[in-house]
PDB file of all heavy atoms in Angstrom:
ATOM      1  N   ARG A   1      -5.830  -6.583  -0.727  1.00  0.00           N
ATOM      2  CA  ARG A   1      -5.225  -5.391  -0.212  1.00  0.00           C
ATOM      3  C   ARG A   1      -3.813  -5.633   0.290  1.00  0.00           C
ATOM      4  O   ARG A   1      -3.510  -6.575   1.074  1.00  0.00           O
ATOM      5  CB  ARG A   1      -6.013  -4.853   0.983  1.00  0.00           C
ATOM      6  CG  ARG A   1      -5.627  -3.417   1.432  1.00  0.00           C
ATOM      7  CD  ARG A   1      -6.670  -2.836   2.307  1.00  0.00           C
ATOM      8  NE  ARG A   1      -6.713  -3.550   3.608  1.00  0.00           N
ATOM      9  CZ  ARG A   1      -7.646  -3.393   4.495  1.00  0.00           C
ATOM     10  NH1 ARG A   1      -8.714  -2.663   4.232  1.00  0.00           N
ATOM     11  NH2 ARG A   1      -7.627  -4.051   5.659  1.00  0.00           N
ATOM     12  N   GLN A   2      -2.869  -4.824  -0.170  1.00  0.00           N
ATOM     13  CA  GLN A   2      -1.465  -4.979   0.207  1.00  0.00           C
ATOM     14  C   GLN A   2      -1.031  -3.871   1.229  1.00  0.00           C
ATOM     15  O   GLN A   2      -0.054  -4.089   1.933  1.00  0.00           O
ATOM     16  CB  GLN A   2      -0.577  -4.904  -1.018  1.00  0.00           C
ATOM     17  CG  GLN A   2      -0.958  -5.848  -2.150  1.00  0.00           C
ATOM     18  CD  GLN A   2      -0.767  -7.300  -1.788  1.00  0.00           C
ATOM     19  OE1 GLN A   2      -0.210  -7.596  -0.810  1.00  0.00           O
ATOM     20  NE2 GLN A   2      -1.282  -8.140  -2.595  1.00  0.00           N
ATOM     21  N   TYR A   3      -1.763  -2.853   1.252  1.00  0.00           N
ATOM     22  CA  TYR A   3      -1.362  -1.785   2.154  1.00  0.00           C
ATOM     23  C   TYR A   3      -2.566  -0.817   2.428  1.00  0.00           C
ATOM     24  O   TYR A   3      -3.374  -0.598   1.558  1.00  0.00           O
ATOM     25  CB  TYR A   3      -0.249  -0.866   1.572  1.00  0.00           C
ATOM     26  CG  TYR A   3       0.070   0.373   2.325  1.00  0.00           C
ATOM     27  CD1 TYR A   3       0.913   0.358   3.477  1.00  0.00           C
ATOM     28  CD2 TYR A   3      -0.457   1.585   1.997  1.00  0.00           C
ATOM     29  CE1 TYR A   3       1.151   1.511   4.228  1.00  0.00           C
ATOM     30  CE2 TYR A   3      -0.225   2.786   2.667  1.00  0.00           C
ATOM     31  CZ  TYR A   3       0.611   2.689   3.822  1.00  0.00           C
ATOM     32  OH  TYR A   3       0.855   3.817   4.512  1.00  0.00           O
ATOM     33  N   ILE A   4      -2.707  -0.362   3.653  1.00  0.00           N
ATOM     34  CA  ILE A   4      -3.654   0.709   3.977  1.00  0.00           C
ATOM     35  C   ILE A   4      -2.996   1.630   5.053  1.00  0.00           C
ATOM     36  O   ILE A   4      -2.389   1.109   5.965  1.00  0.00           O
ATOM     37  CB  ILE A   4      -5.036   0.199   4.449  1.00  0.00           C
ATOM     38  CG1 ILE A   4      -6.034   1.356   4.609  1.00  0.00           C
ATOM     39  CG2 ILE A   4      -4.944  -0.608   5.768  1.00  0.00           C
ATOM     40  CD1 ILE A   4      -7.432   0.955   4.754  1.00  0.00           C
ATOM     41  N   SER A   5      -3.124   2.897   4.878  1.00  0.00           N
ATOM     42  CA  SER A   5      -2.583   3.910   5.830  1.00  0.00           C
ATOM     43  C   SER A   5      -3.485   3.894   7.045  1.00  0.00           C
ATOM     44  O   SER A   5      -4.746   3.591   6.983  1.00  0.00           O
ATOM     45  CB  SER A   5      -2.461   5.258   5.242  1.00  0.00           C
ATOM     46  OG  SER A   5      -3.680   5.738   4.797  1.00  0.00           O
ATOM     47  N   THR A   6      -2.993   4.261   8.205  1.00  0.00           N
ATOM     48  CA  THR A   6      -3.704   4.262   9.508  1.00  0.00           C
ATOM     49  C   THR A   6      -4.784   5.326   9.450  1.00  0.00           C
ATOM     50  O   THR A   6      -4.551   6.490   9.227  1.00  0.00           O
ATOM     51  CB  THR A   6      -2.755   4.523  10.628  1.00  0.00           C
ATOM     52  OG1 THR A   6      -1.715   3.525  10.624  1.00  0.00           O
ATOM     53  CG2 THR A   6      -3.562   4.410  11.926  1.00  0.00           C
ATOM     54  N   ALA A   7      -6.005   4.922   9.676  1.00  0.00           N
ATOM     55  CA  ALA A   7      -7.132   5.873   9.702  1.00  0.00           C
ATOM     56  C   ALA A   7      -6.920   6.958  10.775  1.00  0.00           C
ATOM     57  O   ALA A   7      -6.560   6.646  11.939  1.00  0.00           O
ATOM     58  CB  ALA A   7      -8.454   5.107   9.945  1.00  0.00           C
ATOM     59  N   GLY A   8      -7.186   8.162  10.475  1.00  0.00           N
ATOM     60  CA  GLY A   8      -7.095   9.322  11.456  1.00  0.00           C
ATOM     61  C   GLY A   8      -5.727   9.884  11.544  1.00  0.00           C
ATOM     62  O   GLY A   8      -5.574  10.975  12.123  1.00  0.00           O
ATOM     63  N   SER A   9      -4.704   9.247  10.964  1.00  0.00           N
ATOM     64  CA  SER A   9      -3.351   9.804  11.098  1.00  0.00           C
ATOM     65  C   SER A   9      -3.084  10.774   9.933  1.00  0.00           C
ATOM     66  O   SER A   9      -3.783  10.787   8.903  1.00  0.00           O
ATOM     67  CB  SER A   9      -2.314   8.700  11.111  1.00  0.00           C
ATOM     68  OG  SER A   9      -2.304   7.995   9.893  1.00  0.00           O
ATOM     69  N   THR A  10      -1.998  11.599  10.036  1.00  0.00           N
ATOM     70  CA  THR A  10      -1.548  12.491   8.928  1.00  0.00           C
ATOM     71  C   THR A  10      -0.055  12.318   8.872  1.00  0.00           C
ATOM     72  O   THR A  10       0.586  11.807   9.692  1.00  0.00           O
ATOM     73  CB  THR A  10      -1.960  13.953   9.219  1.00  0.00           C
ATOM     74  OG1 THR A  10      -1.388  14.361  10.455  1.00  0.00           O
ATOM     75  CG2 THR A  10      -3.470  14.060   9.297  1.00  0.00           C
ATOM     76  N   GLY A  11       0.512  12.949   7.719  1.00  0.00           N
ATOM     77  CA  GLY A  11       1.916  13.003   7.580  1.00  0.00           C
ATOM     78  C   GLY A  11       2.398  12.115   6.437  1.00  0.00           C
ATOM     79  O   GLY A  11       1.631  11.629   5.639  1.00  0.00           O
ATOM     80  N   THR A  12       3.747  11.939   6.271  1.00  0.00           N
ATOM     81  CA  THR A  12       4.302  11.106   5.269  1.00  0.00           C
ATOM     82  C   THR A  12       4.940   9.886   5.808  1.00  0.00           C
ATOM     83  O   THR A  12       5.397   9.826   6.903  1.00  0.00           O
ATOM     84  CB  THR A  12       5.392  11.927   4.544  1.00  0.00           C
ATOM     85  OG1 THR A  12       6.444  12.316   5.450  1.00  0.00           O
ATOM     86  CG2 THR A  12       4.849  13.194   3.826  1.00  0.00           C
ATOM     87  N   THR A  13       4.903   8.796   4.961  1.00  0.00           N
ATOM     88  CA  THR A  13       5.420   7.512   5.348  1.00  0.00           C
ATOM     89  C   THR A  13       6.140   6.857   4.176  1.00  0.00           C
ATOM     90  O   THR A  13       5.583   6.952   3.014  1.00  0.00           O
ATOM     91  CB  THR A  13       4.276   6.598   5.793  1.00  0.00           C
ATOM     92  OG1 THR A  13       3.525   7.187   6.845  1.00  0.00           O
ATOM     93  CG2 THR A  13       4.810   5.270   6.286  1.00  0.00           C
ATOM     94  N   GLN A  14       7.261   6.278   4.347  1.00  0.00           N
ATOM     95  CA  GLN A  14       7.929   5.497   3.377  1.00  0.00           C
ATOM     96  C   GLN A  14       7.415   4.083   3.350  1.00  0.00           C
ATOM     97  O   GLN A  14       7.345   3.429   4.467  1.00  0.00           O
ATOM     98  CB  GLN A  14       9.439   5.506   3.572  1.00  0.00           C
ATOM     99  CG  GLN A  14      10.042   6.864   3.732  1.00  0.00           C
ATOM    100  CD  GLN A  14       9.963   7.706   2.493  1.00  0.00           C
ATOM    101  OE1 GLN A  14      10.175   7.222   1.326  1.00  0.00           O
ATOM    102  NE2 GLN A  14       9.642   8.957   2.668  1.00  0.00           N
ATOM    103  N   ILE A  15       7.086   3.528   2.228  1.00  0.00           N
ATOM    104  CA  ILE A  15       6.554   2.175   2.195  1.00  0.00           C
ATOM    105  C   ILE A  15       7.373   1.308   1.237  1.00  0.00           C
ATOM    106  O   ILE A  15       7.954   1.736   0.287  1.00  0.00           O
ATOM    107  CB  ILE A  15       5.085   2.067   1.821  1.00  0.00           C
ATOM    108  CG1 ILE A  15       4.870   2.583   0.361  1.00  0.00           C
ATOM    109  CG2 ILE A  15       4.169   2.822   2.776  1.00  0.00           C
ATOM    110  CD1 ILE A  15       3.444   2.386  -0.170  1.00  0.00           C
ATOM    111  N   ASP A  16       7.430   0.030   1.537  1.00  0.00           N
ATOM    112  CA  ASP A  16       8.038  -0.986   0.709  1.00  0.00           C
ATOM    113  C   ASP A  16       7.208  -2.270   0.901  1.00  0.00           C
ATOM    114  O   ASP A  16       7.262  -2.944   1.896  1.00  0.00           O
ATOM    115  CB  ASP A  16       9.519  -1.309   1.164  1.00  0.00           C
ATOM    116  CG  ASP A  16      10.227  -2.227   0.214  1.00  0.00           C
ATOM    117  OD1 ASP A  16       9.597  -3.006  -0.486  1.00  0.00           O
ATOM    118  OD2 ASP A  16      11.462  -2.265   0.235  1.00  0.00           O
ATOM    119  N   ILE A  17       6.317  -2.544  -0.114  1.00  0.00           N
ATOM    120  CA  ILE A  17       5.263  -3.531  -0.010  1.00  0.00           C
ATOM    121  C   ILE A  17       5.343  -4.611  -1.063  1.00  0.00           C
ATOM    122  O   ILE A  17       5.785  -4.320  -2.194  1.00  0.00           O
ATOM    123  CB  ILE A  17       3.850  -2.921   0.082  1.00  0.00           C
ATOM    124  CG1 ILE A  17       3.545  -2.179  -1.179  1.00  0.00           C
ATOM    125  CG2 ILE A  17       3.701  -2.012   1.311  1.00  0.00           C
ATOM    126  CD1 ILE A  17       2.193  -1.707  -1.338  1.00  0.00           C
ATOM    127  N   SER A  18       4.891  -5.791  -0.778  1.00  0.00           N
ATOM    128  CA  SER A  18       4.813  -6.879  -1.758  1.00  0.00           C
ATOM    129  C   SER A  18       3.547  -6.696  -2.643  1.00  0.00           C
ATOM    130  O   SER A  18       2.476  -6.272  -2.118  1.00  0.00           O
ATOM    131  CB  SER A  18       4.746  -8.207  -1.078  1.00  0.00           C
ATOM    132  OG  SER A  18       4.472  -9.241  -2.012  1.00  0.00           O
ATOM    133  N   LEU A  19       3.703  -7.019  -3.935  1.00  0.00           N
ATOM    134  CA  LEU A  19       2.536  -7.001  -4.847  1.00  0.00           C
ATOM    135  C   LEU A  19       2.183  -8.418  -5.354  1.00  0.00           C
ATOM    136  O   LEU A  19       1.462  -8.614  -6.255  1.00  0.00           O
ATOM    137  CB  LEU A  19       2.770  -6.049  -6.001  1.00  0.00           C
ATOM    138  CG  LEU A  19       2.919  -4.553  -5.622  1.00  0.00           C
ATOM    139  CD1 LEU A  19       3.232  -3.726  -6.875  1.00  0.00           C
ATOM    140  CD2 LEU A  19       1.653  -4.084  -4.975  1.00  0.00           C
ATOM    141  N   ASP A  20       2.908  -9.434  -4.773  1.00  0.00           N
ATOM    142  CA  ASP A  20       2.557 -10.873  -5.034  1.00  0.00           C
ATOM    143  C   ASP A  20       2.798 -11.302  -6.471  1.00  0.00           C
ATOM    144  O   ASP A  20       2.193 -12.278  -6.856  1.00  0.00           O
ATOM    145  CB  ASP A  20       1.117 -11.144  -4.632  1.00  0.00           C
ATOM    146  CG  ASP A  20       0.957 -11.126  -3.063  1.00  0.00           C
ATOM    147  OD1 ASP A  20       1.988 -11.141  -2.375  1.00  0.00           O
ATOM    148  OD2 ASP A  20      -0.167 -11.061  -2.607  1.00  0.00           O
ATOM    149  N   GLY A  21       3.601 -10.563  -7.281  1.00  0.00           N
ATOM    150  CA  GLY A  21       3.794 -11.014  -8.656  1.00  0.00           C
ATOM    151  C   GLY A  21       2.608 -10.955  -9.536  1.00  0.00           C
ATOM    152  O   GLY A  21       2.450 -11.774 -10.438  1.00  0.00           O
ATOM    153  N   LEU A  22       1.698  -9.946  -9.247  1.00  0.00           N
ATOM    154  CA  LEU A  22       0.440  -9.813 -10.009  1.00  0.00           C
ATOM    155  C   LEU A  22       0.498  -8.654 -11.007  1.00  0.00           C
ATOM    156  O   LEU A  22       1.172  -7.676 -10.676  1.00  0.00           O
ATOM    157  CB  LEU A  22      -0.744  -9.681  -9.058  1.00  0.00           C
ATOM    158  CG  LEU A  22      -0.984 -10.877  -8.089  1.00  0.00           C
ATOM    159  CD1 LEU A  22      -2.100 -10.514  -7.194  1.00  0.00           C
ATOM    160  CD2 LEU A  22      -1.218 -12.195  -8.865  1.00  0.00           C
ATOM    161  N   PRO A  23      -0.208  -8.736 -12.094  1.00  0.00           N
ATOM    162  CA  PRO A  23      -0.051  -7.646 -13.158  1.00  0.00           C
ATOM    163  C   PRO A  23      -0.846  -6.409 -12.927  1.00  0.00           C
ATOM    164  O   PRO A  23      -0.647  -5.446 -13.634  1.00  0.00           O
ATOM    165  CB  PRO A  23      -0.484  -8.353 -14.400  1.00  0.00           C
ATOM    166  CG  PRO A  23      -1.505  -9.387 -13.917  1.00  0.00           C
ATOM    167  CD  PRO A  23      -0.983  -9.873 -12.650  1.00  0.00           C
ATOM    168  N   LYS A  24      -1.743  -6.354 -11.958  1.00  0.00           N
ATOM    169  CA  LYS A  24      -2.562  -5.236 -11.767  1.00  0.00           C
ATOM    170  C   LYS A  24      -2.269  -4.505 -10.392  1.00  0.00           C
ATOM    171  O   LYS A  24      -2.096  -5.163  -9.392  1.00  0.00           O
ATOM    172  CB  LYS A  24      -4.030  -5.534 -11.740  1.00  0.00           C
ATOM    173  CG  LYS A  24      -4.947  -4.351 -11.636  1.00  0.00           C
ATOM    174  CD  LYS A  24      -6.443  -4.692 -11.757  1.00  0.00           C
ATOM    175  CE  LYS A  24      -7.330  -3.510 -11.792  1.00  0.00           C
ATOM    176  NZ  LYS A  24      -8.733  -3.839 -11.940  1.00  0.00           N
ATOM    177  N   VAL A  25      -2.001  -3.190 -10.491  1.00  0.00           N
ATOM    178  CA  VAL A  25      -1.799  -2.408  -9.257  1.00  0.00           C
ATOM    179  C   VAL A  25      -2.897  -1.374  -9.167  1.00  0.00           C
ATOM    180  O   VAL A  25      -3.168  -0.664 -10.102  1.00  0.00           O
ATOM    181  CB  VAL A  25      -0.432  -1.706  -9.308  1.00  0.00           C
ATOM    182  CG1 VAL A  25      -0.115  -0.878  -8.055  1.00  0.00           C
ATOM    183  CG2 VAL A  25       0.694  -2.643  -9.550  1.00  0.00           C
ATOM    184  N   MET A  26      -3.527  -1.234  -7.944  1.00  0.00           N
ATOM    185  CA  MET A  26      -4.551  -0.281  -7.761  1.00  0.00           C
ATOM    186  C   MET A  26      -4.161   0.647  -6.557  1.00  0.00           C
ATOM    187  O   MET A  26      -3.693   0.171  -5.528  1.00  0.00           O
ATOM    188  CB  MET A  26      -5.907  -0.920  -7.404  1.00  0.00           C
ATOM    189  CG  MET A  26      -6.379  -1.857  -8.495  1.00  0.00           C
ATOM    190  SD  MET A  26      -7.825  -2.755  -7.884  1.00  0.00           S
ATOM    191  CE  MET A  26      -8.986  -1.344  -7.629  1.00  0.00           C
ATOM    192  N   VAL A  27      -4.350   1.966  -6.763  1.00  0.00           N
ATOM    193  CA  VAL A  27      -4.101   2.999  -5.722  1.00  0.00           C
ATOM    194  C   VAL A  27      -5.427   3.705  -5.429  1.00  0.00           C
ATOM    195  O   VAL A  27      -6.022   4.256  -6.374  1.00  0.00           O
ATOM    196  CB  VAL A  27      -3.011   3.999  -6.229  1.00  0.00           C
ATOM    197  CG1 VAL A  27      -2.809   5.094  -5.169  1.00  0.00           C
ATOM    198  CG2 VAL A  27      -1.743   3.275  -6.453  1.00  0.00           C
TER     199      VAL A  27
END
C-alpha cells in the first residue's frame, strides 16, 4: 500500500506518492 485516505473524512486532496518503480498500479 502506497496511499490510503483518512477514514471518516471528506473533501479533495492533492497527492504525490511513490510507486517504487513497480509495473502494477491498483486503485
Side-chain angles (χ1 to χ4, degrees):
R1 190 169 69 195
Q2 307 295 348
Y3 170 83
I4 187 169
S5 57
T6 304
S9 66
T10 60
T12 59
T13 305
Q14 306 296 318
I15 62 171
D16 186 339
I17 60 173
S18 170
L19 297 175
D20 291 343
L22 299 176
K24 184 175 184 180
V25 181
M26 299 175 61
V27 177

